[in-house]
């Protein structure tokens, strides 16, 4: 059996995460077959990824359920119901200690940044929401901020659960400058030249050499950091198709009937990922791999 990746302080894990690790240890204790550690790592990776996505998944399920099945004569409007459900999910996770207070601060930060963007984007007509409900600011129902918060929740939970470390991570000041430029371009491209492709190139140059080290259970794995950037952006695009299909919000080209969201939006979500990474690293500073752990770990190359 390969060397185990060193575990962090168990107090950092929620009850669900400890349960996953305990089940994995029980499977490993039953034997030492050649493929058993690989299978365990694969299953643990999928389970922890699903758990990291739980907030976003529950929000998406709530959006689909409310937009499709909420009674038309209900006392609470659908958009308001989504706000109350989202708050309930957040409070429930915190009370049940399925989310840490530190993670909550990141979620709040994403909520504020996302809501500000929503106010501008709806004002210039990039997309629209149904006009029902009173829990809104202008044309923006407050549940929209929770969709951005879901991205923050996923990222900060992944950083903690997988004990993310990085080699050749860019200087923090450079990432902040680029993140600010990307955030500004989401606004300024409506009035001046759209610099998104220049910004994409800048992202590729800045993070091209960065490698992410993440502990699953048995091994510590290494991936180029740009790989999860693209992967998460693609998943957000899929979720966006689901949200627009049930009428949670509408793009101009969907006004006469739903059609898939343009694949070009993946680029927008890729750039949003950079803003998200910068926000998370302001709370959880990027760390390098432990020097004492590296020689003994069996790593995928």
């Amino acid at each position: 059996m390969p060397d185990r990746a060193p575990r962090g302080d168990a107090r950092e894990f929620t009850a669900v995460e400890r349960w996953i690790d305990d089940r994995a240890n029980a499977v490993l204790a039953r034997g030492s077959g050649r493929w058993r550690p690989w299978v365990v790592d694969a299953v643990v990776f999928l389970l922890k990824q699903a758990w990291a996505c739980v907030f976003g998944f529950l929000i998406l399920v709530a959006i689909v359920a409310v937009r499709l099945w909420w009674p038309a004569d209900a006392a609470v409007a659908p958009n308001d119901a989504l706000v109350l459900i989202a708050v309930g999910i957040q409070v429930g996770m915190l009370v049940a200690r399925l989310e840490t207070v530190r993670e909550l601060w990141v979620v709040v930060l994403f909520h504020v940044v996302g809501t500000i963007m929503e106010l501008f984007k709806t004002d210039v007509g990039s997309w629209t929401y149904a006009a029902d409900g009173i829990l809104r600011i202008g044309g923006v129902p407050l549940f929209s901020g929770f969709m951005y918060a879901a991205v923050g929740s996923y990222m900060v939970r992944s950083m903690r659960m997988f004990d993310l470390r990085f080699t050749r991570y860019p200087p923090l000041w450079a990432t902040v400058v680029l993140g600010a430029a990307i955030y500004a371009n989401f606004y300024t491209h409506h009035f001046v030249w759209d610099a998104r492709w220049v910004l994409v190139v800048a992202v590729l140059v800045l993070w091209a050499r960065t490698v992410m080290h993440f502990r699953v259970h048995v091994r510590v794995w290494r991936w180029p950091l740009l790989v999860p950037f693209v992967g998460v952006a693609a998943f957000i695009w899929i979720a966006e198709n689901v949200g627009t299909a049930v009428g949670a919000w509408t793009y101009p080209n969907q006004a006469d009937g739903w059609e898939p969201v343009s694949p070009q939006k993946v680029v927008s979500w890729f750039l949003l990922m950079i803003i998200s990474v910068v926000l998370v690293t302001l709370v959880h500073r990027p760390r390098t791999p432990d020097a004492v752990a590296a020689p003994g770990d069996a790593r995928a190359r």
Side-chain angles (χ1 to χ4, degrees):
M1 181 179 296
D3 294 336
R4 294 278 182 87
R7 306 304 299 167
D9 188 341
R11 292 174 297 181
E12 296 179 355
F13 304 135
T14 66
V16 172
E17 294 150 21
R18 288 195 295 270
W19 181 87
I20 293 173
D21 280 345
D22 289 344
R23 300 289 77 74
N25 285 332
V27 172
L28 289 170
R30 293 174 191 166
S32 56
R34 178 180 178 184
W35 295 104
R36 187 180 297 262
W38 294 84
V39 173
V40 167
D41 257 18
V43 173
V44 170
F45 178 78
L46 293 175
L47 289 175
K48 288 189 175 180
Q49 280 291 310
W51 178 239
C53 294
V54 67
F55 184 74
F57 174 76
L58 292 176
I59 294 295
L60 185 61
V61 168
I63 289 173
V64 172
V66 168
R67 301 312 305 186
L68 292 181
W69 300 302
W70 195 255
D73 57 350
V76 179
N79 282 342
D80 290 348
L82 286 172
V83 176
L84 298 177
I85 292 170
V87 171
I89 293 171
Q90 188 72 80
V91 171
M93 291 182 64
L94 196 62
V95 171
R97 297 186 178 181
L98 301 179
E99 183 175 69
T100 67
V101 175
R102 194 177 189 187
E103 289 168 355
L104 177 62
W105 282 114
V106 175
V107 168
V108 171
L109 179 61
F110 272 75
H111 198 297
V112 172
V113 170
T115 299
I116 293 172
M117 183 183 295
E118 288 283 328
L119 288 168
F120 175 82
K121 288 292 189 178
T122 54
D123 187 62
V124 297
S126 295
W127 55 79
T128 58
Y129 290 94
D132 61 87
I134 60 174
L135 300 178
R136 59 173 52 243
I137 301 175
V140 180
L142 296 181
F143 83 83
S144 65
F146 285 98
M147 295 186 291
Y148 294 87
V151 177
S153 175
Y154 166 78
M155 294 188 65
V156 72
R157 291 161 74 83
S158 294
M159 180 167 281
R160 176 178 53 77
M161 278 196 296
F162 294 102
D163 191 25
L164 300 188
R165 308 294 177 98
F166 307 92
T167 53
R168 296 185 294 275
Y169 197 87
L172 197 59
W173 67 265
T175 67
V176 171
V177 170
L178 182 54
I182 292 171
Y183 190 69
N185 190 70
F186 276 113
Y187 296 87
T188 59
H189 81 84
H190 291 280
F191 312 107
V192 296
W193 178 65
D194 187 354
R196 73 179 60 196
W197 290 109
V198 173
L199 295 169
V200 168
V201 172
V203 170
L204 297 179
V205 171
L206 196 60
W207 274 278
R209 299 176 64 248
T210 304
V211 175
M212 179 180 73
H213 304 245
F214 60 102
R215 176 194 302 128
V216 178
H217 190 78
V218 178
R219 292 175 170 85
V220 173
W221 298 72
R222 295 190 290 194
W223 283 358
L225 186 56
L226 291 174
V227 171
F229 284 178
V230 175
V232 174
F235 273 103
I236 295 175
W237 176 76
I238 294 172
E240 188 178 32
N241 274 281
V242 175
T244 56
V246 299
W249 65 95
T250 304
Y251 286 106
N253 64 315
Q254 298 171 329
D256 296 326
W258 183 82
E259 59 183 73
V261 177
S262 170
Q264 291 185 4
K265 286 287 289 182
V266 175
V267 177
S268 297
W269 293 121
F270 175 78
L271 292 174
L272 178 69
M273 280 300 302
I274 305 306
I275 298 173
S276 304
V277 167
V278 171
L279 290 176
V280 169
T281 54
L282 292 178
V283 179
H284 295 270
R285 296 301 172 89
R287 296 180 295 174
T288 58
D290 293 333
V292 296
D297 288 337
R299 300 175 188 258
R301 296 185 185 274

